[in-house]
Amino acid sequence: MKRFTKEENSWMYYDWANSAYSIIISTAVFPLFFKAAATNAGVSSSDSTAYLGYTIAIATFILAMLSPVLGTIADYKGLKKRFFTFFFALGLISTASLAFIPSDQWLLLLIFYTLTAIGSSGSNVFYDAFITDVTTEERMNRVSSRGFGLGYIGSTIPFLISIAIIVLAQNEVLPISTTIASKIAFLITAIWWGIFTIPMLKNVYQKYGIEREPKPLINSFKRLGKTMKEIRKYRALFLFLLAYFFYIDGVGTIITMSTAYGSDLGISSTNLLIILFVTQVVAAPFAILYGRLAERFTGKKMLYVGIVVYIIVCIYAYFLKTTMDFWILAMLVATSQGGIQALSRAYFAKLVPKENSNEFFGFYNIFGKFASIMGPLLIAVTAQVTGNSASAVFSLVVLFIIGITILMFVPEPKVDSSHTISA
């Protein structure tokens, strides 16, 4: 396979750029910063956790509702880049703004966090859809997987710098407070995100789309309604989305609930951060490896491998006892976390009509967002019924079994002579 083109590299570097947001703002630093700010403002720990949860749910719901509508409008030629740029700018500016909000203004922090989430997730909808513009069907597995690999590598650099600044501040090596150190981490995220998005803005353009027409908003809603009525006609695409809904729910739940499960085992927050960091490092080469193996064995077979690994993870979690067990579990997750997400993105891109890629990636985003509800709910109910966190994680096996079963019925995508995808 020939070397990556300028467009492919520029597209992949947005994974490198945006992943800093995912780990620093979504996962590690901001949640701890907000909890401390809310506590100092007199908010109880249970209430602050609930408020953060509500905020995430609201942002998720807004994006899930907007994605297909915005995607349908963005399918008009020349609009995809504009929508991407708008959401990227929204996420970037609101992330940088977190550094300037007084730490006792916890409600304002949540408002701007909502804007950061909408900006980040919204830009990703159009970023994912751009894969049909930057590469060919034959190269999608490798390009998508390398993007995820770069994302894991790229996220570790600003994350490591940010954690170092925070730890040095905590130990009074640096003459700043932990609050200031956290705010510096927010600025680092925004700067990293902004700088490495420049290649995407300069070199990636929309190649496929539909011609503009009068009353684009009204016609976009009509096209969206028509697609929703006819989506069952896209048999392969519909079955894949259904399979994706279940297995990606299990993947997402394990990612979001891992630190909570580790805490239940008595693992310290410092160890959890170290494990999280190492997981990101290990996940990078494995995401790229999945892409290479997909070229040899097909993306669908490698999706099977990833799902089976996650089934093993759920079973192993049931018998977890020690910190070493948790390390083993984390490394198992690292081997397939990026690969399964990258190949899902590439597989879906092969199934969608290129000129309507935004619209269909809007549905892809909806399924991914709403899938993030069922897994945590299953965890919560199982944990309360059994009184055992291990049983709760084990219950996720059901999601992976349903997902892999449906995936078996998804036909392999084929390229017809007119360069549209059929299956």
Side-chain angles (χ1 to χ4, degrees):
M1 176 173 284
K2 67 178 183 179
R3 295 175 61 186
F4 296 105
T5 65
K6 179 190 289 186
E7 291 80 8
E8 289 171 339
N9 277 318
S10 299
W11 180 85
M12 288 185 287
Y13 266 102
Y14 188 69
D15 258 321
W16 172 284
N18 180 253
S19 292
Y21 171 88
S22 299
I23 191 167
I24 294 175
I25 307 298
S26 295
T27 306
V29 179
F30 179 80
L32 296 175
F33 178 81
F34 167 74
K35 290 284 288 182
T39 299
N40 291 336
V43 180
S44 69
S45 59
S46 58
D47 283 342
S48 63
T49 299
Y51 294 151
L52 183 60
Y54 291 142
T55 300
I56 294 171
I58 290 170
T60 299
F61 182 78
I62 291 173
L63 254 298
M65 292 296 96
L66 286 179
S67 293
V69 178
L70 293 174
T72 306
I73 298 172
D75 276 326
Y76 290 114
K77 290 182 177 179
L79 292 184
K80 186 188 292 191
K81 188 71 162 288
R82 294 184 186 181
F83 276 88
F84 168 81
T85 303
F86 170 79
F87 281 98
F88 154 68
L90 174 64
L92 181 72
I93 293 170
S94 51
T95 297
S97 298
L98 291 174
F100 301 98
I101 298 173
S103 57
D104 59 341
Q105 298 294 317
W106 61 269
L107 182 57
L108 195 58
L109 283 171
L110 286 183
I111 292 172
F112 273 84
Y113 174 71
T114 302
L115 294 176
T116 69
I118 292 173
S120 175
S121 298
S123 65
N124 277 334
V125 172
F126 303 103
Y127 164 67
D128 287 342
F130 261 117
I131 193 174
T132 60
D133 298 287
V134 300
T135 192
T136 62
E137 287 84 2
E138 294 81 7
R139 296 171 62 85
M140 281 182 183
N141 286 328
R142 178 173 287 200
V143 171
S144 183
S145 298
R146 188 168 184 262
F148 264 91
L150 286 173
Y152 284 120
I153 297 170
S155 67
T156 59
I157 299 170
F159 178 55
L160 187 60
I161 295 171
S162 298
I163 293 301
I165 292 173
I166 292 171
V167 170
L168 290 174
Q170 287 175 337
N171 291 287
E172 299 182 350
V173 176
L174 290 177
I176 57 175
S177 66
T178 304
T179 298
I180 296 298
S182 297
K183 290 186 175 185
I184 291 173
F186 302 152
L187 285 177
I188 289 173
T189 303
I191 293 169
W192 184 275
W193 190 358
I195 289 175
F196 290 105
T197 302
I198 292 174
M200 175 82 179
L201 296 173
K202 287 182 61 178
N203 303 319
V204 174
Y205 300 96
Q206 182 178 359
K207 294 179 181 178
Y208 302 98
I210 61 175
E211 296 296 334
R212 297 197 196 184
E213 53 190 344
K215 300 178 180 178
L217 183 60
I218 294 175
N219 285 312
S220 293
F221 274 101
K222 289 181 179 179
R223 287 195 293 114
L224 179 61
K226 182 180 179 182
T227 300
M228 292 181 71
K229 290 179 181 178
E230 297 181 350
I231 195 168
R232 289 182 180 273
K233 294 182 181 179
Y234 299 92
R235 180 174 176 270
L237 189 145
F238 179 75
L239 283 174
F240 178 78
L241 280 177
L242 199 57
Y244 176 76
F245 177 83
F246 284 100
Y247 73 71
I248 208 65
D249 186 15
V251 172
T253 302
I254 287 175
I255 292 172
T256 56
M257 300 298 293
S258 59
T259 52
Y261 184 47
S263 296
D264 289 343
L265 290 171
I267 300 173
S268 69
S269 58
T270 301
N271 279 333
L272 286 173
L273 285 174
I274 293 172
I275 293 171
L276 179 61
F277 172 76
V278 175
T279 299
Q280 297 289 108
V281 174
V282 174
F286 275 97
I288 296 171
L289 178 62
Y290 260 74
R292 292 181 179 274
L293 292 176
E295 292 175 0
R296 181 174 180 181
F297 300 107
T298 77
K300 188 176 180 181
K301 288 180 180 177
M302 292 309 300
L303 284 175
Y304 289 152
V305 172
I307 294 172
V308 169
V309 169
Y310 268 95
I311 290 174
I312 295 171
V313 165
C314 294
I315 295 172
Y316 188 79
Y318 184 77
F319 301 98
L320 225 59
K321 299 293 183 184
T322 66
T323 301
M324 180 56 68
D325 288 331
F326 193 81
W327 268 101
I328 294 172
L329 188 75
M331 294 306 100
L332 279 173
V333 169
T335 64
S336 299
Q337 177 176 290
I340 200 170
Q341 293 179 83
L343 294 185
S344 295
R345 177 170 65 184
Y347 198 96
F348 184 75
K350 294 177 183 180
L351 294 171
V352 303
K354 290 182 178 179
E355 64 275 7
N356 299 106
S357 61
N358 289 286
E359 179 180 351
F360 282 94
F361 267 100
F363 284 104
Y364 182 80
N365 188 263
I366 274 190
F367 274 72
K369 294 297 182 186
F370 278 109
S372 64
I373 298 172
M374 186 168 56
L377 183 62
L378 181 61
I379 287 272
V381 172
T382 307
Q384 285 194 319
V385 171
T386 64
N388 187 342
S389 297
S391 298
V393 178
F394 179 76
S395 69
L396 295 176
V397 166
V398 175
L399 300 178
F400 290 111
I401 290 176
I402 294 174
I404 198 171
T405 301
I406 298 174
L407 186 62
M408 291 177 182
F409 294 94
V410 180
E412 290 282 359
K414 297 179 181 179
V415 185
D416 65 26
S417 59
S418 63
H419 301 289
T420 56
I421 305 302
S422 60

